[in-house]
Amino acid sequence: MNTLNIALLQLAPCSALEGNLEKGLAACKKAKELGADIALFPEMWSCGYQICGRPAQEWTARAIPAGGGFARAFQALARDLSMAIAVTLLEEHEGGPRNTLLLFDRFGRQRLAYAKVHTCDFDAERHLTPGEDFFVSELDTACGPVKVGAMICYDREFPESARILMLKGAELILVPNACPMEINRLSQLRARAFENMLAVATCNYPQGVPDCNGISTVFDGVAYLPELDDSRDTCILQAGGAEGVYLARLDLERLRRYRETEVHGNAYRRPSRYAPLTAAEIAPPFVRDGYRP
């Protein structure tokens, strides 16, 4: 079995950048001890997503450069541990800070820099600069190359996010998160994995962190197996609410066989019928302020 081990770092943040750095580095070392190939943080780990209910000037001042000391520390640790690390930060950016994930491979090379496209413009995130695209990169791991993409929290609510990543070849989507995970949001993640025949790994903040409750998950996207009469549960890991490092074992060989033979994903799409999805002049009847076509 060709297994990719994914560690979800379901951690409570500290009050300052230095504390999050120290705690994050220790959690990565713990993930490596458990056998992880990739470690994933919750959303905006550098500041602990401590933005809601605070004056914008206060929390935007905590933005840090993507090439600064915080990110470089995780880059160096990825190389030292020979383990990929997906770290998240409030990124200092021209025009306004961004909600960003940086993925470093086991050699310390940056393989992905993704800024959240669907910022929550109805709340504090209206002060953030949205990302401009979705990206997929081939990640060199101990079990071979894996095509990895990312989406962040609210991106999950738009099927187009995962669909674009699938079309770009993603086998695994990393999803940093900071919100209560309940049946409907979990159903969204399950659906994104099922309809695109890929794995979706989501890391949330634990219970006790405001507006969060843990329940980090990994869905492997494999709904049917030849030896089973019925469909199977695609959830291969669901954490509880407690803080901790949780390890999921993703069977890449099985996922790839499934993608070669099943009917979902890109198998029978009809893109010529989907023009309204990208037509700027057609807006839904419930458009809110800040709608971006």
Side-chain angles (χ1 to χ4, degrees):
M1 183 170 69
N2 193 13
T3 304
L4 183 72
N5 297 323
I6 306 165
L8 307 180
L9 310 184
Q10 188 171 285
L11 307 174
C14 303
S15 58
L17 176 71
E18 294 75 16
N20 289 331
L21 174 60
E22 182 178 346
K23 187 170 186 175
L25 294 173
C28 287
K29 293 173 184 176
K30 174 65 174 177
K32 180 62 179 182
E33 290 173 4
L34 294 174
D37 298 300
I38 303 175
L40 173 63
F41 280 89
E43 183 176 9
M44 227 189 275
W45 173 251
S46 67
C47 67
Y49 201 82
Q50 296 170 4
I51 68 174
C52 296
R54 299 188 177 198
Q57 299 89 335
E58 177 185 311
W59 62 264
T60 55
R62 299 180 67 181
I64 58 174
F70 181 84
R72 288 201 307 272
F74 288 101
Q75 183 175 24
L77 185 63
R79 182 182 61 246
D80 293 345
L81 295 178
S82 189
M83 178 186 74
I85 298 175
V87 66
T88 58
L89 61 150
L90 176 60
E91 180 195 356
E92 186 178 276
H93 184 264
E94 185 179 356
R98 303 199 303 185
N99 185 339
T100 297
L101 172 145
L102 301 175
L103 176 62
F104 300 109
D105 71 10
R106 62 188 176 129
F107 304 106
R109 301 174 300 200
Q110 183 175 304
R111 302 302 300 165
L112 201 62
Y114 170 69
K116 186 176 185 178
V117 168
H118 298 101
T119 51
C120 299
D121 294 350
F122 50 83
D123 207 336
E125 285 193 1
R126 64 183 176 273
H127 299 287
L128 296 178
T129 300
E132 297 179 348
D133 202 353
F134 296 94
F135 306 100
V136 172
S137 178
E138 188 167 273
L139 187 67
D140 186 323
T141 74
C143 59
V146 183
K147 292 183 178 178
V148 180
M151 55 189 191
I152 298 176
C153 199
Y154 193 49
D155 284 329
R156 155 200 79 243
E157 307 220 5
F158 299 85
E160 296 86 353
S161 306
R163 176 73 16 141
I164 290 169
L165 290 169
M166 179 276 292
L167 290 173
K168 291 185 174 184
E171 299 173 289
L172 167 66
I173 300 177
L174 303 175
V175 189
N177 197 79
C179 72
M181 295 309 297
E182 39 71 48
I183 187 170
N184 296 300
R185 290 180 173 125
L186 291 171
S187 296
Q188 288 174 327
L189 295 166
R190 185 187 295 274
R192 299 297 88 84
F194 169 72
E195 65 202 8
N196 293 297
M197 296 197 296
L198 45 69
V200 177
T202 303
C203 186
N204 196 26
Y205 287 101
Q207 220 163 31
V209 175
D211 208 33
C212 292
N213 64 342
I215 316 184
S216 299
T217 55
V218 179
F219 296 94
D220 69 4
V222 180
Y224 310 109
L225 291 174
E227 62 269 26
L228 299 179
D229 293 332
D230 300 312
S231 63
R232 61 180 285 274
D233 186 355
T234 63
C235 183
I236 61 171
L237 183 146
Q238 180 170 314
E243 182 174 35
V245 177
Y246 297 88
L247 192 73
R249 304 184 188 280
L250 175 64
D251 188 337
L252 278 175
E253 187 177 328
R254 182 169 67 185
L255 175 60
R256 286 166 177 166
R257 285 199 308 268
Y258 182 76
R259 286 161 66 99
E260 289 174 356
T261 58
E262 271 298 338
V263 300
H264 309 295
N266 197 29
Y268 295 99
R269 291 176 68 249
R270 295 181 178 174
S272 64
R273 303 294 191 268
Y274 307 153
L277 291 176
T278 55
E281 69 274 13
I282 301 176
F286 44 83
V287 168
R288 302 288 185 250
D289 291 342
Y291 168 68
R292 291 188 178 92

